[in-house]
Amino acid sequence: MPVFCTGFAVLLLGSSAARAQAPGTPVGLQCEYLPNPLGLDAPHPRLAWRLADGRRGAGQAAYQLVVGTDSAAVGRGQGAVWAPAKTASAQQLVAYAGPALRPYTKYFWRVKVWNKVGALAATSAVASFEMGLLNQQNWLGAWISDSQDKNLRPAPYFRKAFQVPRQLRSARAYVAVAGLYELSINGHKVGNHRLDPMYTRFDRRTLYVTHDVTAYLRPGANAVGVLLGNGWYNHQSTAVWDFHNAPWRNRPAFCLDLRLTYTDGTVETIRSGTDWKTALGPLVFNSIYTAEHYDARLEQPGWDAPGFDDAKWKPAIYRTAPSKHIVAQALAPIRNVEPVPAKTVNKLNDTTYVFDLGRNISGVSQLRAQGPAGTVLHLRHAERLYPNGHVDQSNIDVHYRPTDKSDPFQTDIFTLGGKADEVFMPRFNYKGFQYVEVTSSRPVALTAGSLTGYFMHSDVAPVGQVRSANPTIEKIWAATNNSYLSNLFGYPTDCPQREKNGWTGDAHIASETGLYNFDGFTVYEKWLADHRDEQQPNGVLPSIIPSDGWGYEWGNGPDWTSTIAIIPWNLYLFYGDAKPLADCYDNIRRYVDHIAEQSPNGLTNWGLGDWVPVKSKAPVELTSSVYYFTDATILAKAAQLLGHPADHARYAALAAKIRAAINAKYLNRQTGVYGSGVQTELSVPLYWGVVPDELRPKVAANLASRVAADGFHLDVGLLGTKAILGALSENGQADVAYRLAAQETFPSWGWWIVNGATTLHENWPLDAKSDISLNHIMFGEIGAWLYKGLAGIQPDPQQPGFKNVLLAPHFVAGLNQFEASHQGPYGVIRSAWQQSGKGIHYEVTIPPSSTATLVLPVGAGQKVYAGGQLFGPALPSSAPLAAVHATQRYQLAAGTYQLEIR
């Protein structure tokens, strides 16, 4: 019997910790999709857990929550602020519904679960969540800045000395910033977050961050320091997106409450105000878009420590708050997630070195160097090299419009202070790069160990794993994940170098890839709030979000800004949480209503269309109308789910009207061909459910024939790549889909891989003249298709959050072995298969509290066995899942199954 690698499933369940748990123990406790979060503003935070239980049929029969302010009492099931009665339910996502939560208060919670197997009860460990300010009126600090103009380049430093007169119980720093910041106490940077707070539409919503700073403080004299960066708030670099003209733009400012709770129960708040002192320092320029300049000669050691002489520093000044909506930042933070040491260094001459990380990343480089004071080092970051060995930025600086040479693109400037060993790493910038060219104003000695890259992104937990007998498939999966993470910085972006913009089309195309592989719920929920901030009263959204006003007139339309519907729907499917849909319901409705007003006949040509195609491009009206249909369909489903029957009827009828209009104009019912029959024209209507059910096999066969005529190569752009693999594999053409996915000659994903790519590209040709970023996520749907089209793992819209898993693996020709695992809300789902001359061995794991509908392709004369016995009983076939080929359909309880088809 073949042996499959199960290490990833064990890892997801917590390794030895999971094995040590009593069967049915609740694990993985989260509040607002975060472990033990600080500083929440949600009045009804969501509590969630999984069960550690591998027994067949395992699941939750009932649960009981206890929430209180005393951890020991909560551990005993006592001292409750909220303790609802035992609830007979398999629900493992529950919103707090007790008395109003108090600001600044830490709550502890646990859950007791009764299992379906043996009716045993097991209790979780105690978890916690802590509330933030809850109300803007609770802020005590003032908004402050220095008195400098927004165009002044050096960053402002702020400090305040204070006393801690008696023993502390706890200390929290609440920091709201227009711009970016680093907080330090007594000479030590607080925490390991990067680029806080996350980018928002600053004049409409400002985020604050909560830090536990108890360990940083000491009895007696203390000092707190704040360094402000520009970020997207004070964008000084000039580019085509006009962020330097943003309506909110100003000198960075902040508001801080440092709340000290003493053991005697008294509370003192050190707050921002004009008693703070400010000065300029060694950070002489910072731009989120280009780079950072640092002059170590200007350092003032101890500036953020007690005892520092700040007599020459000036008082801070008051500023108005950037917005009237100051809310908690409750999402996965950006971090330096992975160090990437330089793989090689090439010394071009005594003052020029080129470092190669061996892979393309988003993030920063850290340089160690020594030399005479005043030595200037330029660190140019790029994705490519010229033949002469120097870095080549020509593919990524195309949208930059500098006014002079003082702010070179992706080029940090580090001036040595003359110390024995100096280290520089940018604080308020990130880049997209593989190569770093270091040029010094006088000779310096550098080695490969002198430079380290840091892969930097929103630190979302991995929840997916793919393994394949085809190494190219594994490399495509890894490259897709690298590009996805490289474009996740509190919002999804298009590329980490040239733009860093939240292009909506790129994001919804890649959203399933992200959700299969990473726990990105908090980032998407934050970004949907950005959508609500940006939407115009008539429903229109910009093509980039957040935006300074750019994108309302170009690039938007249903093929791009369907994010407002598709992403909350995907969150509902993957997590079973309807809150994002409820939060966005009115926004989706206004958006769909606007398109309906502009398109009375059911068709719309509003949109960009199939962006960056290989050669053939489908009509914009066809693709945009399909997305309009998709939005109306999602809205109708959301209306039904949220209890709006009149809206459900209205928008279901609108979706039917749009579908009929598309088919009337573009579908030849006799031939089963849409339009001229190119790949995107066939695959987009097929994938999104526009094709009449009775014609789906015919249209899919035409698509397969078209792909064969194209030499089993892609002939699609952005919208086509989202649709084509799923359109084939979900309609009886999985072998063709795999052959297309695994292709290694141009144009294909594999073509990039065999030419050394470690991330996905923006264009299919390696030598394209435009659109040639080497780290773009827009063609990333293949990362989701590996789970859907080969492992066959999909959520069930009728029982979302993988409460019931739809499993339809495809044992494709040309691939002997494949495995995928995904940790959903209930635990790890695993689908693994291996083909041999004797048949197919298939292993599947369904997590506790879940079920699965399994559809297996079974050839003529074959049967399905488990443990040498016929497996069953099989259910009647379901036409949508059965597709064209003969199948056997089963309903599975939780547990692990080893099946053979022979």
Side-chain angles (χ1 to χ4, degrees), residues 129 212 218 289 291 351 396 482 500 511 587 644 683 780 786 789:
F129 62 91
D212 181 350
R218 58 197 186 207
Y289 183 71
T351 58
I396 56 173
N482 285 336
K500 300 182 172 75
S511 59
N587 307 87
H644 305 297
S683 60
L786 296 174

Side-chain angles (χ1 to χ4, degrees), residues 291 365-367 377-381 409-414 424 431 436-439 451:
S365 59
Q366 181 186 75
L367 180 70
L377 298 98
H378 286 69
L379 289 75
R380 297 184 67 218
H381 298 72
F409 187 69
Q410 287 214 152
T411 302
D412 295 323
I413 302 176
F414 177 33
F424 167 74
K431 308 167 188 73
V436 184
E437 180 174 326
V438 179
T439 304
L451 186 135

Side-chain angles (χ1 to χ4, degrees), residues 15 29 36 93-94 212 222 373 481 506 532 570 587 599 633 664 666 680 691 757 777 850:
S15 190
L29 274 64
N36 302 321
L93 174 68
V94 178
D212 181 350
N222 291 262
N481 284 352
D506 305 50
R532 297 192 292 273
N570 282 342
N587 307 87
S599 310
T633 301
Y666 288 100
T680 294
V691 178
I777 188 52
S850 292

